[in-house]
Each structure stands twice: as structure tokens, then as C-alpha cells.
Amino acid sequence: NAGVTQTPKFRILKIGQSMTLQCTQDMNHNYMYWYRQDPGMGLKLIYYSVGAGITDKGEVPNGYNVSRSTTEDFPLRLELAAPSQTSVYFCASGDNRGSEKLFFGSGTQLSVL
Amino acid sequence: AQSVTQPDIHITVSEGASLELRCNYSYGATPYLFWYVQSPGQGLQLLLKYFSGDTLVQGIKGFEAEFKRSQSSFNLRKPSVHWSDAAEYFCAVASSGRGSTLGRLYFGRGTQLTVWP
């Protein structure tokens, strides 16, 4: 059982480049989330999705885009990368069948130089 | 606006000693509260959660937490710490809004736990 899988694990970008962080889950969860974690800080919600075709902004959405074409996949797009986007990115998924439990991926360490 | 404060950045305890990690929240309504643990290089894992009812909640790995509305606190405790408990611990409160609150979490900055042998 793979759970939530994120790729890549590490990436270095130059300022102005773009990239997509991949996230896929095999638990048939409706809900998926992207968080970022800065050093010494808690996680902050970037975007979330409550099902295929439905996405919404979280606390810190600027500079990011998402799409949800399938239940399994929820990619996060960075356009025009900036040093402020240097962070660890976590994808998570869950269902709304009462457990209120999130399953997290192992994270993507991104550096923008 | 919702917020979570974890006043201790780093705590060190000896193996076998008791542990209490502090968490204070700011939220206008009845909160949904969570404790997560993050081991190095890993994602977060849910330890326990409080939605309503009994204010003392039990979680995995022998952890418990007590919700105290009068103090706006949700402190995490463990009677006897094991070396494998060394990790970073995050308290979180769920935001309100349409639909499920699942995942729309506000996290504290975390408490790093070191366990001495």
C-alpha cells in the first residue's frame, strides 16, 4: 500500500524557472492538500481539493497553481520560481467519512537560487 | 482568525521521564484540535484529535491530550518517554467553513523533542 507518493524528493531551481510537484494517492480519497513547511514554522496550506475538478485556495496560494483532473493526482505548479518559495512541500490526502485523518507524503525539498 | 501557539521550541527529556508539550489556540467557536508527529525526513502522522465529548483523548504510541476550554489549551502528555519518541510535534486547529474541516488546518511552529538515553 503506497499511500501518498510525492516526486521529486529534492529539486533545485533557478529564479524564474517553473516546475510541477507531483502527488498521487492510491486510497481513493476525495480530499487532497498541499502544504509548505518553512524552517522553524508549522505547515501552511497552499491549495486543497475536495474532489476531481474542484480546487480552492488555502492560506498561502500566491505563486502556485493546482489542478485535479483525477481522484488520484493533485499536482502543484510553480510558475516563475522565487527564493521565497524555498521550502519543504507536503502533499496530504484524506476522506470525509468521519475519521478526519490526513495521510501525508514524505515531502519535496525545493531550493530556489 | 485561528492561530496556534506552541511556546516551547525545543524540549529535552530523559528516557523514562514524563512529558508534557504545550499548545494554546485561538479560535472563536468550538475547535477541532490535533496533534501530529514528524520524524526526520518523513511526513506528518496523526497522534490524536479532539472534536467534542470527553476532554481527555487517547492517541497512538501511548500519548494523550487534554482539552481545557477555560485555558484555550490542548497539551500533549506521555507518562514515560521512549527514545523512539524523539521527533517534532505539531499542534493544529481546523478552520471552519463549508463542508468538512478535514485538512484545512492551522499549525503551530512545532516543538522538537530530544530524548536522552
PDB file of all heavy atoms in Angstrom, chain A residues 2 6 20 27 30 50 56-58 67 77 79 104 113:
ATOM      1  N   ALA A   2       0.939   1.988  -1.137  1.00  0.00           N
ATOM      2  CA  ALA A   2       1.874   3.085  -1.264  1.00  0.00           C
ATOM      3  C   ALA A   2       1.427   4.303  -0.469  1.00  0.00           C
ATOM      4  O   ALA A   2       2.247   5.059  -0.002  1.00  0.00           O
ATOM      5  CB  ALA A   2       2.055   3.442  -2.730  1.00  0.00           C
ATOM      6  N   GLN A   6       5.010  11.418  -3.361  1.00  0.00           N
ATOM      7  CA  GLN A   6       5.418  12.709  -3.901  1.00  0.00           C
ATOM      8  C   GLN A   6       6.715  12.546  -4.691  1.00  0.00           C
ATOM      9  O   GLN A   6       7.632  11.848  -4.260  1.00  0.00           O
ATOM     10  CB  GLN A   6       5.671  13.709  -2.776  1.00  0.00           C
ATOM     11  CG  GLN A   6       4.461  14.155  -2.038  1.00  0.00           C
ATOM     12  CD  GLN A   6       4.812  15.196  -0.989  1.00  0.00           C
ATOM     13  OE1 GLN A   6       4.523  15.018   0.196  1.00  0.00           O
ATOM     14  NE2 GLN A   6       5.402  16.295  -1.417  1.00  0.00           N
ATOM     15  N   THR A  20       6.672  21.402 -11.765  1.00  0.00           N
ATOM     16  CA  THR A  20       5.474  20.788 -11.198  1.00  0.00           C
ATOM     17  C   THR A  20       5.876  19.747 -10.171  1.00  0.00           C
ATOM     18  O   THR A  20       6.693  18.864 -10.469  1.00  0.00           O
ATOM     19  CB  THR A  20       4.616  20.128 -12.291  1.00  0.00           C
ATOM     20  OG1 THR A  20       4.199  21.129 -13.224  1.00  0.00           O
ATOM     21  CG2 THR A  20       3.391  19.469 -11.673  1.00  0.00           C
ATOM     22  N   MET A  27      -5.528   5.650  -2.224  1.00  0.00           N
ATOM     23  CA  MET A  27      -6.503   5.294  -1.196  1.00  0.00           C
ATOM     24  C   MET A  27      -7.915   5.745  -1.564  1.00  0.00           C
ATOM     25  O   MET A  27      -8.823   5.671  -0.734  1.00  0.00           O
ATOM     26  CB  MET A  27      -6.072   5.923   0.138  1.00  0.00           C
ATOM     27  CG  MET A  27      -4.742   5.362   0.639  1.00  0.00           C
ATOM     28  SD  MET A  27      -4.079   6.247   2.064  1.00  0.00           S
ATOM     29  CE  MET A  27      -3.408   7.703   1.276  1.00  0.00           C
ATOM     30  N   ASN A  30     -11.120  11.533  -1.441  1.00  0.00           N
ATOM     31  CA  ASN A  30     -11.661  12.687  -2.156  1.00  0.00           C
ATOM     32  C   ASN A  30     -10.826  13.945  -1.918  1.00  0.00           C
ATOM     33  O   ASN A  30     -10.664  14.775  -2.791  1.00  0.00           O
ATOM     34  CB  ASN A  30     -13.087  12.967  -1.698  1.00  0.00           C
ATOM     35  CG  ASN A  30     -14.064  11.914  -2.187  1.00  0.00           C
ATOM     36  OD1 ASN A  30     -13.878  11.331  -3.249  1.00  0.00           O
ATOM     37  ND2 ASN A  30     -15.094  11.670  -1.414  1.00  0.00           N
ATOM     38  N   VAL A  50     -11.476  19.103  -2.938  1.00  0.00           N
ATOM     39  CA  VAL A  50     -12.441  18.200  -2.302  1.00  0.00           C
ATOM     40  C   VAL A  50     -12.944  17.146  -3.270  1.00  0.00           C
ATOM     41  O   VAL A  50     -13.824  16.354  -2.925  1.00  0.00           O
ATOM     42  CB  VAL A  50     -13.616  18.985  -1.690  1.00  0.00           C
ATOM     43  CG1 VAL A  50     -13.100  19.961  -0.646  1.00  0.00           C
ATOM     44  CG2 VAL A  50     -14.406  19.702  -2.764  1.00  0.00           C
ATOM     45  N   ASP A  56      -9.493  24.817  -4.359  1.00  0.00           N
ATOM     46  CA  ASP A  56      -9.717  26.076  -3.657  1.00  0.00           C
ATOM     47  C   ASP A  56      -8.429  26.518  -3.001  1.00  0.00           C
ATOM     48  O   ASP A  56      -7.540  25.703  -2.712  1.00  0.00           O
ATOM     49  CB  ASP A  56     -10.816  25.919  -2.612  1.00  0.00           C
ATOM     50  CG  ASP A  56     -11.543  27.237  -2.350  1.00  0.00           C
ATOM     51  OD1 ASP A  56     -11.041  28.299  -2.788  1.00  0.00           O
ATOM     52  OD2 ASP A  56     -12.604  27.212  -1.704  1.00  0.00           O
ATOM     53  N   LYS A  57      -8.326  27.838  -2.771  1.00  0.00           N
ATOM     54  CA  LYS A  57      -7.127  28.401  -2.182  1.00  0.00           C
ATOM     55  C   LYS A  57      -7.075  28.156  -0.685  1.00  0.00           C
ATOM     56  O   LYS A  57      -8.101  28.170  -0.004  1.00  0.00           O
ATOM     57  CB  LYS A  57      -7.073  29.914  -2.446  1.00  0.00           C
ATOM     58  CG  LYS A  57      -6.955  30.282  -3.915  1.00  0.00           C
ATOM     59  CD  LYS A  57      -6.979  31.786  -4.088  1.00  0.00           C
ATOM     60  CE  LYS A  57      -6.877  32.153  -5.565  1.00  0.00           C
ATOM     61  NZ  LYS A  57      -6.928  33.628  -5.759  1.00  0.00           N
ATOM     62  N   GLY A  58      -5.838  27.991  -0.212  1.00  0.00           N
ATOM     63  CA  GLY A  58      -5.619  27.900   1.215  1.00  0.00           C
ATOM     64  C   GLY A  58      -5.096  29.211   1.750  1.00  0.00           C
ATOM     65  O   GLY A  58      -5.482  30.290   1.294  1.00  0.00           O
ATOM     66  N   SER A  67      -4.287  21.676 -10.165  1.00  0.00           N
ATOM     67  CA  SER A  67      -5.373  21.098 -10.949  1.00  0.00           C
ATOM     68  C   SER A  67      -5.695  19.739 -10.359  1.00  0.00           C
ATOM     69  O   SER A  67      -4.861  19.131  -9.676  1.00  0.00           O
ATOM     70  CB  SER A  67      -4.974  20.963 -12.419  1.00  0.00           C
ATOM     71  OG  SER A  67      -3.829  20.125 -12.546  1.00  0.00           O
ATOM     72  N   ARG A  77       1.840  23.386  -9.287  1.00  0.00           N
ATOM     73  CA  ARG A  77       2.652  24.055 -10.291  1.00  0.00           C
ATOM     74  C   ARG A  77       3.234  25.333  -9.721  1.00  0.00           C
ATOM     75  O   ARG A  77       2.507  26.149  -9.136  1.00  0.00           O
ATOM     76  CB  ARG A  77       1.795  24.382 -11.499  1.00  0.00           C
ATOM     77  CG  ARG A  77       2.501  25.110 -12.636  1.00  0.00           C
ATOM     78  CD  ARG A  77       3.323  24.167 -13.467  1.00  0.00           C
ATOM     79  NE  ARG A  77       3.930  24.861 -14.617  1.00  0.00           N
ATOM     80  CZ  ARG A  77       4.883  24.330 -15.355  1.00  0.00           C
ATOM     81  NH1 ARG A  77       5.357  23.119 -15.079  1.00  0.00           N
ATOM     82  NH2 ARG A  77       5.385  25.006 -16.371  1.00  0.00           N
ATOM     83  N   GLU A  79       5.087  28.648 -11.004  1.00  0.00           N
ATOM     84  CA  GLU A  79       5.441  29.458 -12.153  1.00  0.00           C
ATOM     85  C   GLU A  79       6.392  30.559 -11.673  1.00  0.00           C
ATOM     86  O   GLU A  79       6.170  31.144 -10.629  1.00  0.00           O
ATOM     87  CB  GLU A  79       4.197  30.099 -12.753  1.00  0.00           C
ATOM     88  CG  GLU A  79       3.094  29.131 -13.124  1.00  0.00           C
ATOM     89  CD  GLU A  79       3.341  28.403 -14.433  1.00  0.00           C
ATOM     90  OE1 GLU A  79       4.401  28.626 -15.056  1.00  0.00           O
ATOM     91  OE2 GLU A  79       2.471  27.599 -14.824  1.00  0.00           O
ATOM     92  N   PHE A 104      -0.008  11.875   4.981  1.00  0.00           N
ATOM     93  CA  PHE A 104       0.968  12.758   4.367  1.00  0.00           C
ATOM     94  C   PHE A 104       1.985  11.989   3.534  1.00  0.00           C
ATOM     95  O   PHE A 104       2.366  10.863   3.881  1.00  0.00           O
ATOM     96  CB  PHE A 104       1.733  13.540   5.438  1.00  0.00           C
ATOM     97  CG  PHE A 104       0.973  14.702   6.014  1.00  0.00           C
ATOM     98  CD1 PHE A 104       0.035  14.502   7.018  1.00  0.00           C
ATOM     99  CD2 PHE A 104       1.199  15.982   5.552  1.00  0.00           C
ATOM    100  CE1 PHE A 104      -0.667  15.569   7.553  1.00  0.00           C
ATOM    101  CE2 PHE A 104       0.498  17.061   6.082  1.00  0.00           C
ATOM    102  CZ  PHE A 104      -0.434  16.852   7.076  1.00  0.00           C
ATOM    103  N   LEU A 113      17.355  29.224  -6.203  1.00  0.00           N
ATOM    104  CA  LEU A 113      18.585  30.002  -6.038  1.00  0.00           C
ATOM    105  C   LEU A 113      18.749  31.031  -7.175  1.00  0.00           C
ATOM    106  O   LEU A 113      18.201  30.837  -8.253  1.00  0.00           O
ATOM    107  CB  LEU A 113      19.788  29.060  -6.029  1.00  0.00           C
ATOM    108  CG  LEU A 113      19.726  27.936  -4.974  1.00  0.00           C
ATOM    109  CD1 LEU A 113      20.905  27.008  -5.134  1.00  0.00           C
ATOM    110  CD2 LEU A 113      19.709  28.534  -3.572  1.00  0.00           C
TER     111      LEU A 113
END
